[in-house]
Amino acid sequence: MPHPLLQPSADTLADLRDGRLAPAQASERLRAQRELLAALPPRFTEVLSDLLDRLESSALFDGESCSFSARDLHDSLQWWIDKAEARLSAS
């Protein structure tokens, strides 16, 4: 069970992976996690912003491309959530 501040992000990623959310919708929801982002060091916001920019750009391509892999981006977002979980648990 993720940290309570991370649950909305984990749910958003699950919905994105399952196709219930488009990349732009998922990005909007993840960027809106202000309380979570405020609880983390600024570098977390920078990394998440970069990942979400890539996610939004990936929506311009149909399926997997040589530049963007949806699966890799989803895995990177999961990595970010895992790192945020570790940081919040250590606090």
Side-chain angles (χ1 to χ4, degrees), residues 20 24 67 78 85:
R20 291 186 296 267
S67 299
Q78 183 62 58
E85 175 75 39

Side-chain angles (χ1 to χ4, degrees), residues 72-84:
D72 288 348
L73 287 170
H74 297 169
D75 290 348
S76 293
L77 287 168
Q78 183 62 58
W79 171 84
W80 185 91
I81 289 171
D82 293 344
K83 293 292 184 183

Side-chain angles (χ1 to χ4, degrees), residues 15-32:
D15 288 345
L16 176 64
R17 285 184 193 245
D18 292 341
R20 291 186 296 267
L21 281 179
Q25 293 169 310
S27 179
E28 184 178 321
R29 286 185 186 182
L30 291 167
R31 289 183 196 277

Side-chain angles (χ1 to χ4, degrees), residues 2-65:
H3 186 283
L5 287 176
L6 279 167
Q7 189 63 56
S9 297
D11 292 344
T12 296
L13 180 56
D15 288 345
L16 176 64
R17 285 184 193 245
D18 292 341
R20 291 186 296 267
L21 281 179
Q25 293 169 310
S27 179
E28 184 178 321
R29 286 185 186 182
L30 291 167
R31 289 183 196 277
Q33 300 299 310
R34 288 178 181 81
E35 187 177 353
L36 168 62
L37 296 174
L40 294 167
R43 181 71 180 139
F44 278 82
T45 300
E46 293 170 25
V47 170
L48 180 62
S49 180
D50 179 57
L51 290 171
L52 295 178
D53 288 347
R54 290 178 22 213
L55 179 67
E56 291 166 357
S57 295
S58 74
L60 301 174
F61 297 96
D62 191 20
E64 302 292 314
S65 80

